């Protein structure tokens, strides 16, 4: 939300106009075809948004109409734009039987506080909707194997509402730290790797192959933490014989690398470094 204004007209008194950020609509089928890194960014931004809603100056805010079409993507991050169905008041209650959180697939019963409010209902409604519309589809699919247990625990905990928003965000931030720092690669071994010759200031303009998910539809362009991970990726692709490290990075600071089927035509390029397979160790 960028701003709002009230204005009176002859037809409609007390008209409210909101000015929201312009972004791309959320298309789930397209998101499933993007890299895990980009999908994780969406989930992380959603976790941060839910934390903000749970701790807003107005109190805990819930989105009653929580669906992908209520959001837009701005620079790879999720933003909510439809605020018509936002509610601040918690649900009043006299017992826990008044605190049933209903969803199409299942229901949850929350405690009734001594003050007569359903505890955390606004927060838990947002969190379960985030699970069923976003986390369950975007978080685990094609994630780095060493991060899967933590990602599965996030999906399971939000699906069962055993965590609140604070713990969910803390675990998402932990995933970001492990991924961004390269710690998720600690158990990788160098045994059986081929040797690669480094050719600075050069690139391979052709000899591409396709892989999935790739940042480029006509070639295999992936992000890596370092050269050692690029070697592991190349070794895992049967057709890979070389790779080109670019000076471009993703939102986490990881380098973008083109993987190639050969190196018959290497040309100068001051912004790239080529690595070609030399011999097996």
């Amino acid at each position: 939300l960028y701003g709002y204004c009230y204005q009176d007209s002859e037809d409609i008194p007390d008209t409210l106009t909101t000015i929201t950020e312009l972004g791309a609509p959320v298309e789930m089928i397209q998101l499933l075809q993007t890299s895990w890194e980009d999908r994780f960014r969406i989930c992380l931004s959603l976790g941060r948004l839910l934390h903000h809603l749970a701790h807003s100056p107005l109190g805990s805010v819930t989105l009653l109409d929580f669906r992908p079409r209520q959001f837009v993507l701005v620079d790879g991050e999720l933003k909510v734009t439809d605020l018509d169905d936002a509610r601040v008041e918690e649900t009043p209650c006299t017992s826990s039987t008044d605190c049933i959180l209903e969803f199409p697939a299942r229901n949850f019963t929350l405690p009734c506080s001594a003050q007569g409010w359903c505890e955390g209902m606004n927060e838990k409604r947002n969190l379960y909707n985030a699970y069923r519309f976003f986390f369950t589809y975007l978080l685990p699919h094609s994630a780095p194997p060493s991060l899967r247990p933590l990602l599965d625990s996030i999906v399971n905990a939000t699906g069962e509402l055993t965590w609140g928003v604070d713990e969910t965000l803390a675990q998402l931030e932990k995933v970001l730290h492990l991924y961004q720092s390269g710690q998720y690669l600690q158990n990788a071994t160098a045994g059986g790797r081929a040797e690669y010759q480094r050719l600075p200031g050069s690139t391979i303009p052709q000899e591409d192959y396709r892989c999935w998910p790739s940042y480029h539809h006509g070639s295999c362009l992936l992000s890596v933490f370092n050269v050692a991970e690029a070697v592991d990726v190349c070794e895992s692709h049967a057709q890979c014989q070389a790779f080109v490290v670019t000076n471009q990075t993703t939102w986490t600071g990881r380098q973008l690398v083109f993987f190639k089927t050969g190196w018959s035509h290497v040309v100068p390029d001051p912004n790239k470094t080529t690595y070609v397979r030399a011999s097996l160790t």
Side-chain angles (χ1 to χ4, degrees):
L1 179 65
Y2 277 166
Y4 60 91
C5 64
Y6 292 97
Q7 62 190 62
D8 292 329
S9 67
E10 295 180 359
D11 299 327
I12 305 175
D14 300 325
T15 301
L16 171 64
T17 301
T18 60
I19 300 92
T20 57
E21 195 166 6
L22 180 65
V26 175
E27 301 288 349
M28 293 302 294
I29 294 178
Q30 293 180 5
L31 293 183
L32 291 172
Q33 299 172 358
T34 62
S35 69
W36 175 83
E37 187 174 346
D38 286 345
R39 285 184 275 114
F40 173 71
R41 186 181 191 182
I42 293 170
C43 293
L44 177 63
S45 64
L46 178 56
R48 290 170 175 170
L49 172 62
L50 297 188
H51 183 268
H52 174 75
L53 293 176
H55 300 282
S56 81
L58 299 175
S60 182
V61 179
T62 191
L63 303 176
L64 296 177
D65 190 10
F66 193 118
R67 287 176 290 178
R69 69 183 185 184
Q70 311 301 111
F71 299 85
V72 295
L73 286 172
V74 181
D75 296 329
E77 297 189 355
L78 206 62
K79 304 290 183 75
V80 60
T81 58
D82 192 333
L83 306 172
D84 293 346
D85 296 300
R87 189 181 72 182
V88 177
E89 297 82 7
E90 291 282 11
T91 302
C93 60
T94 56
S95 69
S96 60
T97 57
D98 298 321
C99 301
I100 299 177
L101 198 53
E102 297 181 340
F103 295 99
R106 62 177 303 181
N107 299 333
F108 298 90
T109 301
L110 303 180
C112 180
S113 71
Q115 292 74 33
W117 300 100
C118 296
E119 290 186 7
M121 180 166 280
N122 284 353
E123 174 182 333
K124 293 296 180 70
R125 179 184 286 109
N126 288 342
L127 193 57
Y128 189 78
N129 279 325
Y131 155 79
R132 70 189 184 109
F133 286 118
F134 291 95
F135 293 165
T136 190
Y137 298 110
L138 302 183
L139 267 182
H141 185 54
S142 70
S146 62
L147 294 177
R148 279 297 298 269
L150 181 53
L151 294 169
D152 288 341
S153 69
I154 294 172
V155 173
N156 293 335
T158 53
E160 296 296 327
L161 291 184
T162 54
W163 290 350
V165 165
D166 292 353
E167 181 62 23
T168 301
L169 178 58
Q171 296 301 317
L172 288 169
E173 297 284 4
K174 181 179 179 180
V175 173
L176 174 63
H177 173 71
L178 294 173
Y179 188 67
Q180 202 166 26
S181 66
Q183 292 184 33
Y184 76 101
L185 296 170
Q186 283 182 346
N187 295 328
T189 61
R193 279 182 183 166
E195 293 290 338
Y196 284 77
Q197 181 183 356
R198 182 174 182 268
L199 306 175
S202 66
T203 188
I204 304 171
Q206 299 177 347
E207 301 185 74
D208 290 304
Y209 65 92
R210 293 183 178 182
C211 65
W212 186 89
S214 172
Y215 284 93
H216 189 276
H217 70 277
S219 60
C220 187
L221 178 62
L222 304 174
S223 74
V224 300
F225 176 71
N226 54 21
V227 172
E229 186 180 10
V231 170
D232 288 340
V233 172
C234 192
E235 292 293 287
S236 69
H237 294 179
Q239 62 271 61
C240 183
Q241 298 294 318
F243 57 88
V244 178
V245 179
T246 73
N247 62 354
Q248 295 177 296
T249 58
T250 65
W251 68 277
T252 60
R254 292 163 59 88
Q255 287 184 288
L256 290 176
V257 176
F258 286 98
F259 294 88
K260 304 285 184 172
T261 60
W263 61 92
S264 60
H265 184 52
V266 179
V267 299
D269 189 325
N271 298 316
K272 297 182 176 67
T273 300
T274 298
Y275 291 80
V276 301
R277 181 182 292 209
S279 62
L280 292 174
T281 56

